[in-house]
Amino acid sequence: MRELAFARTRFGLMAAVIAMIAVLMVLLSGLSSGLVVDGVSGLMRSPIGAVAFSEGTKTDSAFTRSEVTRAQSDTWAAQGDVADAELLGTSIVNAKNGDGSPLDLTLFGVEPDGFVTPAAAQGREIAGPGEAVLSSSARDEGVALGDVITLSRLGTTLTVVGFTADQRTFGHVDVAFIPLTTWQEVHAGAMAGEQPSPEAYDVASVVALRGIDGRTPDLAAGDTAAHTSARTIKAAFDSSPGYAAELMTMQLIKAFLYAISALVVGAFFTLWTVQRTRELAVMRAMGASTRFLLTDGVLQAAILLVGALAVGMGVGLAFGGLLQGTGIPFALATGPILAGGALLLGLGLAGAAVATARIASIDPVTALGENR
């Protein structure tokens, strides 16, 4: 502690660097969580336990490439460990609000009385063709109850009858829950007022599944029977547009941040140890054990790291709180932030331990001026 006080300037500068790394860690964690929420909250906050795609569908953007039939849904529903199986249609469209302002939407075609249909926190649930319940975040785009939204190219109109309690987005686009029959008409490319072929009402993008008592059903057995490719809902996140690429980018940035943190702390304590070589040698000559000196060095690093991380994470949380609700995909999640802080602390201590390990090789004779 006396050394920390004596060299407070250099330790203060090092603490400032660690604190800034901690601020960046909090902001990156918030951005990663925000991108996940903005990308797949429509799936994340649904009661769906697994989804079945058409057989052979590639993982990336599978929701927009897959096409399953009602017969496949019925086959899944007949499985003994499946509580619910429903057709779910997904497609991203361009639209215009009643005042002519452009609007991007992800259409989720659902059974009006099915388990996928969300409750409306404002307004009411969908009950008939041409009605829509939108994500609560759509209100920020100027959408209100009773608005009539017109889909580009087709001219199909959707009347907003309700909003969900929380954000429901898919591919960074607000979700509009509409009756499955309306989605099937849009998917078939039927113009407003036209009726598609009867076969159009037999298809959807995926089969939404829910196991008995919340358990995941036997996906392999269901796939064999229905000729589909099923995945748990978390595994299906990778099939949303851009999700995997965004997440991998953020993880790579955070990995470099953690590596830089360990190197910075290790380099600082390496230089600090070199500068203290003669003093440490004197302590060895006076009888201090290697274990005592190592413990002393690592505890100095621990005090510095804990204090700097606490300050940096506090500043990061305060700044992150200002970012929420600004339209930036940012969400403060306790788990990732605490995990990131623990990782920074662990890697910093590891770097300091490697740096101070050279203390073990200090020769007490150095204190007597042997090298002069």
Side-chain angles (χ1 to χ4, degrees):
M1 292 299 293
R2 285 195 298 269
E3 281 185 325
L4 288 173
F6 176 77
R8 54 185 174 273
T9 301
R10 67 185 69 182
F11 277 108
L13 289 174
M14 186 60 200
V17 172
I18 296 172
M20 286 189 287
I21 291 175
V23 172
L24 186 57
M25 180 274 298
V26 172
L27 295 180
L28 286 175
S29 296
L31 186 57
S32 296
S33 300
L35 287 172
V36 170
V37 171
D38 207 50
V40 294
S41 59
L43 300 174
M44 182 192 309
R45 292 167 177 169
S46 73
I48 301 173
V51 290
F53 300 92
S54 56
E55 197 170 29
T57 305
K58 293 183 179 181
T59 300
D60 57 316
S61 300
F63 281 96
T64 54
R65 294 176 177 174
S66 172
E67 188 173 278
V68 296
T69 64
R70 192 171 296 278
Q72 290 173 307
S73 176
D74 293 339
T75 301
W76 269 104
Q79 300 298 306
D81 54 357
V82 174
D84 297 287
E86 296 178 7
L87 289 177
L88 171 65
T90 63
S91 56
I92 299 177
V93 298
N94 297 322
K96 288 186 178 181
N97 203 351
D99 59 2
S101 58
L103 190 65
D104 294 326
L105 292 174
T106 296
L107 302 182
F108 271 21
V110 297
E111 298 287 0
D113 56 350
F115 80 97
V116 182
T117 304
Q122 181 181 359
R124 60 175 177 81
E125 289 75 25
I126 54 176
E131 295 183 343
V133 170
L134 270 60
S135 165
S136 62
S137 53
R139 286 189 296 244
D140 298 334
E141 302 294 328
V143 182
L145 284 176
D147 283 357
V148 177
I149 297 171
T150 304
L151 304 187
S152 301
R153 188 175 62 84
L154 299 178
T156 303
T157 57
L158 302 173
T159 302
V160 180
V161 298
F163 291 98
T164 60
D166 47 18
Q167 179 183 355
R168 303 289 181 98
T169 47
F170 182 82
H172 306 290
V173 178
D174 291 321
V175 171
F177 294 90
I178 63 175
L180 180 61
T181 54
T182 302
W183 179 89
Q184 290 166 332
E185 293 168 0
V186 173
H187 179 67
M191 301 297 291
E194 293 182 355
Q195 288 291 323
S197 62
E199 292 79 12
Y201 296 101
D202 191 48
V203 301
S205 301
V206 297
V207 180
L209 305 169
R210 182 168 62 175
I212 296 175
D213 297 329
R215 294 191 296 267
T216 301
D218 188 341
L219 301 183
D223 282 340
T224 302
H227 301 289
T228 55
S229 176
R231 303 164 203 163
T232 63
I233 191 65
K234 288 186 177 180
F237 290 169
D238 287 344
S239 299
S240 65
Y243 177 83
E246 290 173 353
L247 207 59
M248 288 178 62
T249 300
M250 296 305 300
Q251 288 174 343
L252 184 62
I253 293 173
K254 288 197 289 185
F256 274 106
L257 178 66
Y258 296 140
I260 290 170
S261 174
L263 288 174
V264 167
V265 175
F268 173 79
F269 278 96
T270 296
L271 294 176
W272 178 242
T273 302
V274 170
Q275 292 176 349
R276 299 167 61 215
T277 298
R278 196 169 304 282
E279 289 82 356
L280 295 173
V282 170
M283 294 178 67
R284 284 291 304 275
M286 294 172 62
S289 66
T290 299
R291 180 178 180 181
F292 173 84
L293 295 179
L294 284 171
T295 302
D296 180 68
V298 173
L299 280 178
Q300 279 187 343
I303 293 170
L304 180 70
L305 284 166
V306 170
L309 286 175
V311 173
M313 291 173 68
V315 173
L317 289 172
F319 189 57
L322 297 176
L323 292 178
Q324 293 190 111
T326 61
I328 299 174
F330 190 90
L332 292 174
T334 304
I337 292 175
L338 291 179
L343 195 55
L344 284 177
L345 177 61
L347 290 174
L349 289 176
V354 171
T356 54
R358 64 179 289 120
I359 295 175
S361 62
I362 292 177
D363 186 356
V365 178
T366 303
L368 304 179
E370 177 217 34
N371 62 337
R372 292 182 180 178

